[in-house]
Amino acid sequence: MVHTYKKESLQTWITLAVILIIGITLRLYHLDSYSIFFDEKSTMVVSQGIVLEGANQKEVFATRKLSPSQIWEAPTTQYRHPAVLRSFTYNETFSPRTFTSSEFWAPKTTADYFEAMTRSDIGNGSFYYLLLHFWLELTGISDFSARLFSVFFSVFIIGLTYFFGKRFFSMNTGLIAAGIVAIEPFFIAYSHQARNYSLTFFLTLLATYLFLQLIEIRPGQRNTVWLYIGYILAAGLGLLSNFLVIAVLLVHALYALLFLRSVSGWIKMAVSAVAALSGVTWWLLYGGGKYTFYSLNHQADEYRRYAETNPGNNPFGVYPATFPNILNKSLSIFSDLIIFTNGMADSLVGKRNTLISVLVGLLLIAWYRYKGKFKIHEFIAPRIPYVIVLLSALVYTSNKFQFCVLSVVIFASSFLYDIYKESDNLQRRRLILLFMMALIPTLFLIVMAINGGHTSGLQQRYSGFSFPYVIILISLLLQYFSTLSSEYRILIFFFLAVQFYFVGQRLQEFYQDRSVKYGQFAEPRAPNPYYAAAQKIKKEYQTGDTIFYPAFKLEILSEMDRSFLTYSIRDAQLTNLYLPKGLNYIQAMDTTQVDKILIKRKIQKDTLEIINLKGVRY
């Protein structure tokens, strides 16, 4: 392999610009066409220092001061130990009071923000919420602006992947990798969510980019202090964006054990590690992550109980951590990491078909490695790979094209060995880091699943850190394929092109909001009903009118969900997000019905239906 560090030409910059334009377009398309779902609802209110269901809004929704035995006393000024939460009782019923938008948007304290993060997201994602808060202050609160924040970091990942590939391998590697990131359904899907994933993936890629430069510092190299500062910030803020970044830092530590040989380097990296961990340590001990471990333990107990008593058919959709369940979940995660096997673990059915496909892939490998030992006519030999694949297609009982693709991908992946073998020592070390980053985050989730006894954590987004490194490996493979003889080159590129058709189908499903895999919904969502309701309220409301929100029974899944009311105020909260903060619209909860937002009009002396939320709460 030839690896050169070149200065970008005009053609390179134009190519990168085209890739970025494609990536931006794919991420902006249908960005706010479909309503926010539960996790995004939490994001929107937490970013404003509000607890979903109003645990820190008793002054807005309660009629009178409640006793310490009924509420989390003074949550805006102090915390109570989680053990106290379990002793609270909620036996009294409180009649709803009226409130205004101004009261709803009463100024929040730092403790309010801490409580919002603790209750709604186990104290996770504090740096993301901080940035999002100021972003929404600048742009205004809307689904588009909240999701656009994720789009920015998703686009940054495209650019940073280019610089990573170029810096450590070659310019072409960077361009190809950036191109794949631009069209990768995983990155597009999570750029459409007002959640911390895109920011976290960017920060971990940046931390690894800086970490590898630190490991490769040459004796006497100057101006390295900025690399250390950058690494501390990227790694530390990454942890404050998502606690699972610890899996990435674990890879860094293991890689340093293997390849860092300088005593001074070890001292500097140790200091950097302590500095990077200091922020999250403070947060967990004194900040809004104060009760994270309590919450995690409680959550794990609940997941385990549901998994054992009602596997799969429970509010969390979790299964016990048995070997078959873990294998099925992790196979799906690993297959989706590679764009050329995307979706195969879920869509390819039949053990017989799968076995044949794997055997065909191994047969292609064997033929390529040992064909020289057979005396076959020069006209026939180049056509044997095609014959092997075509004959296998006659045997499959379903998904013939995709099983053929799987065989070819298995064959194509075997050239990672050749890439490694033909690399120099420095490149081999870099490849080892890519392999570790590709595997260890998911293995970390598997260990956690076994330890926890349930499979709730075995999800692609929790090991999404691996994608850029797998994509760089793919870009190296694609370049290597171009050096193969024509029969293998044509075979591989043809079936990889076929797989792009299926990837395109996955993207189409996502844009239609019919993708359980990427959008979590099989049936398309309507546009955000709360935004629509707010716009209609602004149009119809007259002085003296009262807005009534439905109050359905509040379902308590954990102690952190508890409020001071027996009914949900979520619809009122989410609608007020999209109402101007300075308005004095009179509002109240309607405990007589559960679906309709209504305006009781003073002048017309009638009731106007604003929207019916049945079936569109998501």
Side-chain angles (χ1 to χ4, degrees):
M1 295 174 66
V2 178
H3 303 281
T4 56
Y5 190 82
K6 297 179 180 179
K7 187 175 181 179
E8 288 89 346
S9 64
L10 178 60
Q11 182 180 1
T12 301
W13 285 120
I14 291 174
T15 303
L16 182 59
V18 171
I19 290 171
L20 290 171
I21 290 170
I22 292 171
I24 292 169
T25 302
L26 291 173
R27 284 155 177 76
L28 290 179
Y29 184 58
H30 278 314
L31 184 61
D32 64 343
S33 295
Y34 307 108
S35 177
I36 56 175
F37 64 100
F38 184 82
D39 287 359
E40 291 181 296
K41 293 173 184 177
S42 294
T43 293
M44 300 295 274
V45 295
V46 171
S47 70
Q48 306 305 307
I50 298 169
V51 178
L52 197 64
E53 299 298 2
N56 66 342
Q57 287 189 306
K58 63 181 182 295
E59 295 86 356
V60 179
F61 292 98
T63 58
R64 55 189 170 82
K65 183 162 179 69
L66 309 178
S67 67
S69 65
Q70 293 165 325
I71 63 170
W72 193 352
E73 177 67 15
T76 58
T77 57
Q78 65 179 346
Y79 280 106
R80 298 291 296 272
H81 191 276
V84 179
L85 287 173
R86 296 194 294 273
S87 69
F88 289 173
T89 58
Y90 299 84
N91 298 324
E92 293 189 44
T93 301
F94 303 98
S95 58
R97 55 156 287 182
T98 59
F99 62 93
T100 66
S101 298
S102 296
E103 289 177 303
F104 178 88
W105 285 109
K108 300 296 185 293
T109 66
T110 299
D112 279 311
Y113 286 93
F114 284 4
E115 184 182 358
M117 282 181 267
T118 298
R119 283 184 176 271
S120 302
D121 212 348
I122 65 168
N124 196 20
S126 55
F127 181 59
Y128 167 76
Y129 287 122
L130 176 67
L131 293 183
L132 182 64
H133 173 80
F134 289 110
W135 169 260
L136 293 178
E137 285 286 313
L138 179 67
T139 62
I141 296 176
S142 71
D143 297 356
F144 184 88
S145 60
R147 289 171 174 168
L148 184 63
F149 189 67
S150 296
V151 168
F152 275 122
F153 287 102
S154 187
V155 173
F156 291 161
I157 293 170
I158 300 173
L160 185 54
T161 301
Y162 163 73
F163 287 110
F164 194 112
K166 175 199 166 187
R167 171 68 176 77
F168 297 112
F169 295 97
S170 70
M171 192 176 296
N172 285 341
T173 301
L175 286 173
I176 295 170
I180 296 174
V181 172
I183 63 172
E184 167 57 55
F186 176 83
F187 286 121
I188 294 171
Y190 284 96
S191 72
H192 277 227
Q193 291 190 14
R195 297 293 288 165
N196 58 358
Y197 303 114
S198 291
L199 171 63
T200 305
F201 300 148
F202 170 75
L203 289 172
T204 55
L205 181 59
L206 178 60
T208 306
Y209 177 68
L210 297 171
F211 167 78
L212 195 50
Q213 292 183 63
L214 290 172
I215 294 296
E216 296 179 1
I217 286 176
R218 298 181 300 273
Q221 185 174 335
R222 297 181 178 181
N223 298 324
T224 60
V225 64
W226 294 110
L227 288 177
Y228 284 104
I229 292 173
Y231 177 73
I232 291 168
L233 289 174
L237 296 176
L239 280 168
L240 287 170
S241 298
N242 193 311
F243 295 143
L244 285 172
V245 169
I246 195 66
V248 175
L249 302 189
L250 175 63
V251 176
H252 293 177
L254 292 174
Y255 188 81
L257 283 172
L258 291 173
F259 298 113
L260 186 57
R261 296 290 179 263
S262 165
V263 174
S264 63
W266 266 110
I267 294 172
K268 291 175 183 176
M269 284 305 302
V271 172
S272 299
V274 171
L277 291 170
S278 62
V280 74
T281 301
W282 174 86
W283 178 254
L284 291 172
L285 291 177
Y286 305 108
K290 196 172 179 182
Y291 300 131
T292 292
F293 293 115
Y294 159 77
S295 301
L296 285 173
N297 290 333
H298 178 79
Q299 187 182 72
D301 291 340
E302 290 295 294
Y303 284 158
R304 192 183 303 112
R305 180 171 63 85
Y306 276 109
E308 291 172 353
T309 58
N310 203 7
N313 187 26
N314 54 69
F316 309 109
V318 297
Y319 292 85
T322 62
F323 178 77
N325 289 338
I326 289 176
L327 179 63
N328 289 335
K329 285 267 193 176
S330 47
L331 277 178
S332 179
I333 293 174
F334 281 122
S335 70
D336 286 353
L337 277 172
I338 304 170
I339 196 168
F340 298 117
T341 56
N342 183 295
M344 288 188 180
D346 299 321
S347 63
L348 298 187
V349 295
K351 294 180 181 178
R352 172 179 169 276
N353 289 340
T354 304
L355 179 61
I356 293 172
S357 184
V358 172
L359 290 175
V360 169
L362 295 176
L363 183 58
L364 288 171
I365 294 172
W367 171 252
Y368 177 82
R369 304 291 174 183
Y370 302 106
K371 61 182 181 297
K373 295 186 177 182
F374 302 95
K375 293 183 178 180
I376 299 177
H377 192 277
E378 62 181 9
F379 176 80
I380 297 175
R383 289 160 177 78
I384 286 181
Y386 305 119
V387 173
I388 292 173
V389 176
L390 290 174
L391 287 176
S392 70
L394 300 175
V395 181
Y396 301 128
T397 58
S398 65
N399 303 97
K400 294 179 183 292
F401 259 124
Q402 283 187 284
F403 275 114
C404 289
V405 171
L406 179 58
S407 297
V408 173
V409 168
I410 292 171
F411 168 58
S413 300
S414 69
F415 290 102
L416 283 173
Y417 167 77
D418 301 88
I419 292 173
Y420 182 82
K421 189 174 71 171
E422 296 174 18
S423 298
D424 57 30
N425 287 334
L426 179 60
Q427 291 298 319
R428 287 183 178 183
R429 291 199 294 269
R430 292 170 176 174
L431 287 170
I432 288 173
L433 178 65
L434 297 184
F435 295 144
M436 292 171 69
M437 286 300 307
L439 296 173
I440 289 178
T442 301
L443 296 178
F444 182 81
L445 296 183
I446 292 172
V447 171
M448 288 181 64
I450 294 171
N451 183 60
H454 58 85
T455 61
S456 70
L458 283 176
Q459 300 186 47
Q460 191 79 68
R461 64 181 182 270
Y462 296 149
S463 63
F465 318 113
S466 297
F467 271 91
Y469 313 99
V470 173
I471 287 171
I472 291 172
L473 287 171
I474 292 171
S475 68
L476 292 171
L477 280 170
L478 290 172
Q479 292 172 87
Y480 193 85
F481 297 153
S482 65
T483 67
L484 301 177
S485 56
S486 60
E487 67 266 30
Y488 299 106
R489 190 167 64 248
I490 293 171
L491 178 72
I492 291 172
F493 282 121
F494 173 77
F495 280 102
L496 295 188
V498 169
Q499 173 63 6
F500 271 115
Y501 166 76
F502 295 108
V503 172
Q505 283 189 322
R506 301 291 83 77
L507 269 178
Q508 184 180 32
E509 291 170 359
F510 171 72
Y511 286 131
Q512 294 174 346
D513 204 36
R514 297 179 182 275
S515 174
V516 176
K517 176 178 178 178
Y518 289 121
Q520 303 183 41
F521 296 92
E523 294 297 326
R525 288 165 289 172
N528 190 338
Y530 301 106
Y531 176 82
Q535 303 317 302
K536 190 171 181 181
I537 287 170
K538 287 191 289 185
K539 179 181 178 182
E540 299 291 345
Y541 188 87
Q542 299 177 28
T543 302
D545 292 350
T546 303
I547 306 162
F548 284 94
Y549 298 98
F552 55 89
K553 183 179 179 181
L554 181 61
E555 183 179 6
I556 303 296
L557 293 178
S558 80
E559 293 296 334
M560 288 300 186
D561 293 334
R562 289 196 183 277
S563 180
F564 49 86
L565 299 168
T566 57
Y567 53 81
S568 173
I569 59 171
R570 189 185 312 165
D571 294 333
Q573 289 180 306
L574 295 171
T575 304
N576 271 274
L577 284 177
Y578 305 102
L579 289 174
K581 297 182 180 181
L583 296 178
N584 286 312
Y585 293 170
I586 300 172
Q587 307 174 59
M589 300 305 302
D590 181 358
T591 57
T592 66
Q593 54 93 24
V594 297
D595 287 320
K596 298 176 182 179
I597 298 178
L598 308 168
I599 290 183
K600 188 173 182 179
R601 301 194 289 187
K602 181 178 180 180
I603 297 175
Q604 292 86 346
K605 299 187 182 301
D606 63 0
T607 299
L608 173 67
E609 180 178 317
I610 296 296
I611 198 168
N612 190 330
L613 294 170
K614 186 175 182 179
V616 294
R617 285 187 172 99
Y618 308 115

